[in-house]
Amino acid sequence: MARDHRPLRSISYNFDEHDDIGMMRSAYELGSDAVSFELEDHVPPKMKPTARANIRQVLEELGPSKPTFVRINRLDSPELLSDLDAVVCPELHAVLVPKVESPKDVLLLDGLLTLFEKRAGVEEGRIFITPLLESASGNRLAYEIASASPRVAYMGGMVSRNGDPALSIGFEWTREMQETSYIRQKVLLDVRSAGVQWPVSGNWNPVDDLEGLEKFAIQSRQIGYVGLTCMPVAEHVEVINRVFTPSQEEVDYWAEIVPIVDAAKTDVVVGGQVLPPNKAKWGRRRLQLAAYYGLVPSEDRARLTAEHVGGLTTHVRALVQPATGSVDGPGSTPTNGT
């Protein structure tokens, strides 16, 4: 892709009629990593021309300052071509596509975007596609949908309270979100398998429940997501950005560990922790993620050294071997280190 494909911790959904351009500009001040505007359900038909014109104006003014998404109308809507004509420009980062049911939907939009990019003088392939899975069939075909085009980015399992996914699948929303855990994990595995690098989940609906939001964000991070879509509420953005940003302690730790493991090219023990060579890959990923958010290792961080290099099995046995000389328990035959 020609355009920077960076991770996004927070994508604020601004779902209103977009008749107030001042309010639209203020969306860029919330602190979210990305901003999304709306042309689908939340904009009445008679308001769509105004919304399109205002979105285009704000895109040209502020789009370069922050990745900007637009949720267009569904692919079988007569409004679709007018949406694309209005919003396809160099400042548009991605389109959110509602109610995607199959790979054919993505292929159709990919072709249309190519035509509108040529028409607008935009480099082909510049604009990303984020499919929104809002039905049982869409979620079932998540891998095929994610694989349909190299434009697909930031795709993940999207759930909401009493929304279209709940209507199609039948789940009853709870604060713990356990009823959608399988859906979000299943889609995550699918999109990761399809090569989507920075999957994003969402959405947390209760505006005044920051504790619930934080638990949902932590759960999403722990299963493998890098961010969430969210309400255009500064407190929501702050919670999400904090949860999905590596801590300074973690950054300092991996800044020490990665070069130690790389230099050893074998198993090492640091701080009593066994670290095989593949641990450096995880460390580099975490450092890369932190760097995207402007977080760098501290100059005064604690310096670490390897306590043991190589011969890991013998070393571990020596640590746990009881006074009897056996690592296999009382009454067993000594192993003599073999």
Side-chain angles (χ1 to χ4, degrees), residues 173-238:
W173 187 93
T174 67
R175 186 172 184 264
E176 292 73 28
M177 303 289 278
Q178 290 302 311
E179 69 284 350
T180 60
S181 178
Y182 168 73
I183 298 168
R184 290 178 285 122
Q185 292 184 62
K186 185 266 182 194
V187 174
L188 178 68
L189 288 172
D190 286 339
V191 300
R192 287 285 194 185
S193 297
V196 175
Q197 189 177 10
W198 308 119
V200 172
S201 186
N203 189 39
W204 181 259
N205 298 116
V207 176
D208 59 351
D209 186 359
L210 296 181
E211 181 185 20
L213 169 62
E214 182 163 1
K215 289 180 179 178
F216 175 54
I218 291 171
Q219 180 190 91
S220 299
R221 185 198 69 208
Q222 288 174 337
I223 65 175
Y225 284 102
V226 301
L228 292 177
T229 60
C230 65
M231 307 281 280
V233 177
E235 292 81 4
H236 283 216
V237 171
E238 188 280 325

Side-chain angles (χ1 to χ4, degrees), residues 25-247:
R25 291 186 180 115
S26 71
Y28 290 85
E29 301 171 2
L30 282 173
S32 59
D33 288 346
V35 171
S36 177
F37 294 117
E38 165 74 353
L39 283 173
E40 200 210 4
D41 291 346
H42 295 269
V43 182
K46 66 179 181 180
M47 298 293 296
K48 290 186 189 292
T50 299
R52 291 185 187 111
N54 286 343
I55 289 172
R56 179 58 176 260
Q57 181 176 337
V58 173
L59 271 170
E60 292 176 349
E61 290 178 5
L62 297 171
S65 69
K66 186 171 291 191
T68 303
F69 294 63
V70 176
R71 185 166 78 164
I72 57 177
N73 282 278
R74 59 185 300 161
L75 297 176
D76 59 358
S77 169
E79 303 283 356
L80 175 64
L81 296 182
S82 295
D83 290 349
L84 295 176
D85 186 47
V87 303
V88 171
C89 61
E91 296 79 18
L92 178 65
H93 189 71
V95 288
L96 294 165
V97 195
K99 302 172 179 66
V100 173
E101 297 286 334
S102 76
K104 293 180 181 179
D105 293 341
V106 176
L107 290 171
L108 171 61
L109 182 58
D110 189 325
L112 288 172
L113 280 173
T114 298
L115 293 175
F116 278 93
E117 284 170 336
K118 290 179 179 178
R119 183 178 177 181
V122 177
E123 183 179 359
E124 182 179 340
R126 184 176 178 84
I127 296 168
F128 292 110
I129 295 172
T130 301
L132 300 178
L133 309 180
E134 303 180 68
S135 69
S137 60
N139 280 278
R140 187 179 70 84
L141 294 174
Y143 174 78
E144 291 80 1
I145 289 169
S147 303
S149 168
R151 293 182 187 266
V152 173
Y154 308 113
M155 180 178 163
M158 295 289 178
V159 295
S160 62
R161 183 167 61 180
N162 304 330
D164 289 324
L167 184 64
S168 176
I169 298 169
F171 63 79
E172 296 181 8
W173 187 93
T174 67
R175 186 172 184 264
E176 292 73 28
M177 303 289 278
Q178 290 302 311
E179 69 284 350
T180 60
S181 178
Y182 168 73
I183 298 168
R184 290 178 285 122
Q185 292 184 62
K186 185 266 182 194
V187 174
L188 178 68
L189 288 172
D190 286 339
V191 300
R192 287 285 194 185
S193 297
V196 175
Q197 189 177 10
W198 308 119
V200 172
S201 186
N203 189 39
W204 181 259
N205 298 116
V207 176
D208 59 351
D209 186 359
L210 296 181
E211 181 185 20
L213 169 62
E214 182 163 1
K215 289 180 179 178
F216 175 54
I218 291 171
Q219 180 190 91
S220 299
R221 185 198 69 208
Q222 288 174 337
I223 65 175
Y225 284 102
V226 301
L228 292 177
T229 60
C230 65
M231 307 281 280
V233 177
E235 292 81 4
H236 283 216
V237 171
E238 188 280 325
V239 168
I240 291 169
N241 285 353
R242 172 167 47 80
V243 167
F244 285 99
T245 303
S247 68

Side-chain angles (χ1 to χ4, degrees), residues 249-263 268 270 275 287 297-306:
E249 180 182 10
E250 182 185 6
V251 172
D252 290 348
Y253 174 77
W254 287 117
E256 290 295 303
I257 293 299
V258 169
I260 291 173
V261 175
D262 283 345
V268 297
V270 180
L275 298 166
L287 291 171
S298 302
E299 291 293 334
D300 60 349
R301 66 184 181 271
R303 306 297 169 171
L304 301 176
T305 57

